């Protein structure tokens, strides 16, 4: 005999995932900085939710490696070290390069059309100086390329790594020179897609992600030096 679905449990899970998504976005964009405390009571009042989904959301973020839960201090945003960022993007660069190669090799008119739309939107946000919007569509482009490579092993591996690495990408676009370089690299990738040049797409995208990792490591190292001085 089948059991009736536990509606209360399902709603609690959905609520926790919603809260976790909000907190992830704040951590990624630096609104919650490393070592910042996440106060359950304050968050509960702000989001108009009970403490139960807050606590469940914090467990999800702890599993992601984005926060640490301490018995005495509560939930604290995890530190993000320069070496960790560099090593993460060393792997991510290879994964995304492979994805770009596979997408080029199997490119359809529909996929290229969608990429062109995303690219135009990204350029519009860049010209207008809308950094948050630029970052969001930039993330969509990276994720779309990964999903379009149709390799479930690559997709799952990339998704797991990016949970912790994504907040570093937002740090990178705070440097104007890196932002301009990144936009040019995106255009180079689009040209490789248009030309059907899989090797060029792979090379451009690997370089792009390695530059991102290097920039993040530099920014994090500078922040560490500032805190210690």
């Amino acid at each position: 005999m089948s059991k009736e679905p536990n509606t209360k449990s399902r709603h609690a899970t959905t609520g926790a995932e919603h809260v976790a998504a909000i907190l992830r976005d704040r951590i990624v964009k630096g609104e919650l900085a490393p070592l910042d405390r996440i106060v359950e009571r304050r968050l509960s009042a702000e989001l108009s939710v009970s403490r139960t989904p807050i606590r469940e959301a914090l467990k999800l973020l702890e599993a992601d490696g984005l926060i640490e839960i301490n018995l005495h201090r509560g939930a604290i945003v995890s530190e993000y070290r320069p070496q960790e960022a560099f090593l993460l993007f060393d792997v991510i660069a290879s994964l995304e390069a492979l994805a770009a190669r596979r997408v080029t090799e199997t490119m359809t008119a529909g996929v290229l059309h969608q990429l062109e739309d995303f690219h135009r939107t990204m350029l519009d946000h860049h010209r207008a100086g809308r950094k948050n919007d630029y970052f969001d569509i930039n993330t969509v482009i990276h994720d779309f390329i990964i999903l379009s490579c149709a390799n479930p092993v690559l997709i799952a591996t990339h998704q797991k790594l990016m949970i912790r690495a994504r907040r570093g990408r937002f740090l990178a676009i705070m440097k104007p020179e890196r932002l301009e370089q990144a936009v040019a690299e995106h255009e180079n990738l689009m040209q490789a897609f248009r030309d059907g040049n899989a090797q060029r797409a792979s090379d451009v995208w690997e370089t792009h992600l390695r530059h991102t990792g290097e920039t993040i490591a530099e920014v994090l190292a500078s922040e560490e030096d500032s805190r210690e001085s």
Side-chain angles (χ1 to χ4, degrees):
M1 181 177 177
S2 62
K3 293 182 179 180
E4 289 296 320
N6 190 328
T7 304
K8 185 176 179 181
S9 175
R10 186 170 66 248
H11 286 173
T13 301
T14 303
E17 290 169 349
H18 175 67
V19 173
I22 291 172
L23 292 174
R24 277 195 201 97
D25 190 64
R26 292 179 182 181
I27 293 170
V28 165
K29 294 180 177 176
E31 295 170 27
L32 285 170
L35 303 182
D36 277 355
R37 287 186 66 226
I38 301 173
V39 182
E40 290 183 20
R41 182 182 64 258
R42 190 181 304 155
L43 192 61
S44 176
E46 177 194 348
L47 301 180
S48 299
V49 297
S50 72
R51 299 279 281 275
T52 299
I54 299 290
R55 289 178 184 135
E56 292 303 314
L58 294 178
K59 290 177 185 177
L60 293 174
L61 295 178
E62 184 182 34
D64 290 343
L66 293 177
I67 68 168
E68 298 169 8
I69 300 177
N70 183 284
L71 181 62
H72 302 292
R73 298 182 63 194
I76 301 169
V77 178
S78 300
E79 291 190 88
Y80 194 34
R81 302 285 187 181
Q83 183 66 3
E84 179 188 0
F86 182 83
L87 294 176
L88 275 169
F89 277 90
D90 191 36
V91 177
I92 289 166
S94 296
L95 289 175
E96 295 212 21
L98 177 58
R101 175 188 291 276
R102 295 292 179 256
V103 169
T104 311
E105 291 170 345
T106 60
M107 183 69 72
T108 65
V111 168
L112 182 58
H113 179 73
Q114 184 65 78
L115 284 164
E116 295 282 14
D117 280 350
F118 288 151
H119 186 62
R120 279 193 296 272
T121 301
M122 187 194 76
L123 293 179
D124 287 343
H125 290 319
H126 172 57
R127 294 188 196 101
R130 296 186 291 263
K131 286 190 175 180
N132 278 355
D133 292 331
Y134 168 89
F135 177 78
D136 289 341
I137 191 64
N138 186 292
T139 299
V140 168
I141 292 169
H142 280 265
D143 289 348
F144 183 77
I145 291 169
I146 290 294
L147 292 173
S148 298
C149 80
N151 181 326
V153 176
L154 191 156
I155 292 168
T157 304
H158 180 268
Q159 183 179 39
K160 187 172 182 179
L161 291 173
M162 285 306 298
I163 287 172
R164 188 149 176 83
R166 199 179 297 279
R167 60 175 166 163
R169 289 183 53 247
F170 193 78
L171 289 173
I173 69 169
M174 294 298 106
K175 295 189 72 172
E177 63 273 21
R178 171 55 192 152
L179 179 56
E180 294 302 323
Q181 182 186 50
V183 170
E185 289 164 353
H186 270 260
E187 178 55 42
N188 290 339
L189 176 69
M190 288 307 304
Q191 193 56 55
F193 283 154
R194 295 171 192 132
D195 294 340
N197 190 331
Q199 183 62 53
R200 175 67 175 156
S202 176
D203 291 345
V204 165
W205 217 221
E206 181 167 6
T207 298
H208 174 67
L209 272 298
R210 290 193 186 283
H211 282 164
T212 298
E214 291 163 5
T215 302
I216 295 165
E218 289 170 9
V219 172
L220 293 173
S222 177
E223 289 181 351
E224 282 191 352
D225 291 343
S226 297
R227 287 196 296 268
E228 292 170 2
S229 61

